Amino acid sequence: MQVYGTELASRLLLGTALYPSPTDMAEAVRASGTEVVTVSLRRETAHGEDGIQAGQQFWGLVQSLGVRVLPNTAGCHSVKEAVTTAQMAREVFDTPWIKLEVIGDSDTLQPDVFGLVEAARILAADGFQVFPYTTEDLVVAGKLLDAGCEVLMPWGAPIGSGRGLNNPYGLRSLRAHFPNVPLVIDAGIGLPSHAAAAMELGYDAVLLNTAVAKAARPAAMAAAMARAVEAGRLAFEAGPMEARDMASPSTPLLGMAAFS
Amino acid sequence: MNIIVNGKPCTIRSATLADALVELGYGDARVATARGGDFIPAAARAACQLQEGDVLEILMPMRGG
C-alpha cells in the first residue's frame, strides 16, 4: 500500500489512546505490526513539571516504537481550529501528514464534510499530506480529491462505537467509484470480523483504536486485528465467489447411484 | 501582564512568547504554540511580543486515535 509516496507493508493503522497504561499501548503497537500510529496535541492536564514530563515521555515512547506518526485534529469543530491544530502538529511531530477531523456533531462525531473540504483545501495548498476522516458520501469524496487529498478515510461507524460497517453498500460504492485511490476505513471497527469485512470490500487499510485499547488484553486483540486485516486483504485479492440466494450443490450430481 | 494560558488566567513578567515559555516552566520541552488562535512557529516565538489579555495555547504530544 502506498500513501503519499510512502510504501506501507502493514495495512493496519493503530491509535495510541485509551489504553490501560503506556506499556499496554506499546505492546499493542508491537503486536499489531503496524507502521503508523495516530497521535494528537493537547494541553497538559497535570500542572507543573510532572505534566510537562508526561507529554515528553509519551513522545519518547512513541519514538522508541520505530513507527510513523499520523497526528490528528481530533476534537476540532471548525476549519480554523483544525488548520491551526494541523500547523502546530506539523511542527511538533515533524511530519506533513495530518489526519484531518472537523467534527460536525458531538453525539455521533460525524464529520462536518463542508468544513472538512475547506480545511483540506487550505492544508493541501500549504504542503500538508491530508488524510481526511470523512463519510462514504461519493460527492464529498470527489471534492476532497479535488482539494488535494490523495487518500480518503471514510468511517465504518461512529468513533468508538464498535459497530462495524454501518453502510456496506455505500462503502462498496465508494470503492467502486474510486478504484485507484487509497481508501482507509477509519472508526467504528469493534471486532476482527469487522476489519476483515472492510478489507474484503477492497479497502486498502483499516485504522482503529478503541477496539484494541478497550479489549481485556489489548496486545492479543492487536494481533487478532492484524491477522483479520491480512486475511481480508488476501480474500479480496483471491476474488471471493458471488453470493446467491438458493443452494447450489457442491458435490457433482452426475454419476449418482439410483436406488429405486 | 495578565494573559490566558491553556484556558487559565496567568500573570507573567515576560514580554515575548519565547521568554514566557521559560517562565512558565516549559523550558526546552517539545511544544507547539498559538496566540489568539493563530499558530506561532518556534522560530517566531522570540519576536512574538505578548500583550495584556493575550490568549495562548501551549500544546504537547498526546495519545490520539
Side-chain angles (χ1 to χ4, degrees), chain B:
Chain B
M1 79 181 82
N2 296 307
I3 61 174
I4 304 293
V5 178
N6 288 349
K8 294 182 178 172
C10 186
T11 301
I12 61 168
R13 298 182 303 277
S14 304
T16 68
L17 177 55
D19 289 342
L21 286 178
V22 175
E23 182 180 344
L24 292 167
Y26 287 93
D28 57 358
R30 198 180 188 95
V31 297
T33 51
R35 181 178 67 169
D38 293 323
F39 171 54
I40 306 294
R45 288 174 192 157
C48 179
Q49 297 289 326
L50 298 179
Q51 297 178 0
E52 181 79 16
D54 268 349
V55 177
L56 301 183
E57 290 289 341
I58 304 171
L59 305 185
M60 290 192 165
M62 186 55 64
R63 301 170 294 279

Side-chain angles (χ1 to χ4, degrees), chain A residues 15-17 38-44 47 49 52 55-56 58-59 72 80 84 87-88 91-93 99 101 209, chain B residues 6-8 25-26 29-34 37-43 45 57-65:
Chain A
T16 56
T38 51
V39 293
S40 71
L41 280 179
R42 285 289 181 272
R43 298 166 170 172
E44 275 301 345
H47 298 292
E49 195 67 20
I52 293 170
Q56 306 305 301
F58 168 73
W59 178 233
N72 68 29
K80 171 75 171 169
T84 300
Q87 292 168 330
M88 297 172 86
E91 181 176 82
V92 164
F93 295 111
K99 176 186 166 185
E101 297 183 29
N209 188 158
Chain B
N6 288 349
K8 294 182 178 172
Y26 287 93
R30 198 180 188 95
V31 297
T33 51
D38 293 323
F39 171 54
I40 306 294
R45 288 174 192 157
E57 290 289 341
I58 304 171
L59 305 185
M60 290 192 165
M62 186 55 64
R63 301 170 294 279

Side-chain angles (χ1 to χ4, degrees), chain A:
Chain A
M1 169 189 181
Q2 200 172 66
V3 284
Y4 290 108
T6 297
E7 189 70 31
L8 298 176
S10 170
R11 294 175 179 272
L12 175 59
L13 291 73
L14 193 62
T16 56
L18 300 174
Y19 292 87
S21 72
T23 301
D24 286 304
M25 184 271 284
E27 289 176 351
V29 168
R30 292 191 191 97
S32 73
T34 189
E35 294 168 85
V36 179
V37 298
T38 51
V39 293
S40 71
L41 280 179
R42 285 289 181 272
R43 298 166 170 172
E44 275 301 345
T45 50
H47 298 292
E49 195 67 20
D50 288 347
I52 293 170
Q53 288 294 330
Q56 306 305 301
Q57 285 173 359
F58 168 73
W59 178 233
L61 178 58
V62 170
Q63 285 183 302
S64 75
L65 295 170
V67 292
R68 293 177 180 275
V69 293
L70 175 58
N72 68 29
T73 63
C76 293
H77 285 255
S78 72
V79 172
K80 171 75 171 169
E81 285 177 339
V83 168
T84 300
T85 301
Q87 292 168 330
M88 297 172 86
R90 178 165 63 178
E91 181 176 82
V92 164
F93 295 111
D94 195 24
T95 175
W97 284 11
I98 190 74
K99 176 186 166 185
L100 182 60
E101 297 183 29
V102 182
I103 300 301
D105 181 83
S106 295
D107 290 329
T108 62
L109 298 181
Q110 179 163 349
D112 166 6
V113 294
F114 304 99
L116 181 69
V117 171
E118 186 181 345
R121 186 174 294 116
I122 293 168
L123 292 171
D126 191 23
F128 281 88
Q129 296 174 344
V130 181
F131 295 63
Y133 164 63
T134 185
T135 68
E136 65 274 24
D137 188 290
L138 298 177
V139 178
V140 171
K143 290 188 182 298
L144 287 168
L145 296 174
D146 291 344
C149 298
E150 295 182 14
V151 57
L152 300 174
M153 302 210 300
W155 63 350
I159 295 170
S161 68
R163 298 181 60 84
L165 307 182
N166 269 355
N167 184 5
Y169 165 76
L171 293 170
R172 188 180 298 114
S173 181
L174 184 68
R175 178 70 287 176
H177 272 73
F178 302 102
N180 299 316
V181 176
L183 297 179
V184 181
I185 291 290
D186 175 14
I189 300 296
L191 293 167
S193 55
H194 300 155
M199 299 304 292
E200 288 165 8
L201 288 178
Y203 276 72
D204 294 279
V206 168
L207 196 170
L208 56 87
N209 188 158
T210 311
V212 166
K214 290 298 186 183
R217 290 179 291 284
M221 185 59 80
M225 288 292 185
R227 292 178 192 183
V229 166
E230 186 179 357
R233 180 65 189 182
L234 286 171
F236 171 72
E237 291 174 347
M241 64 168 279
E242 291 290 329
R244 48 184 292 154
D245 291 332
M246 303 301 286
S248 174
S250 51
T251 302
L253 296 176
L254 192 67
M256 275 193 68
F259 297 112
S260 60

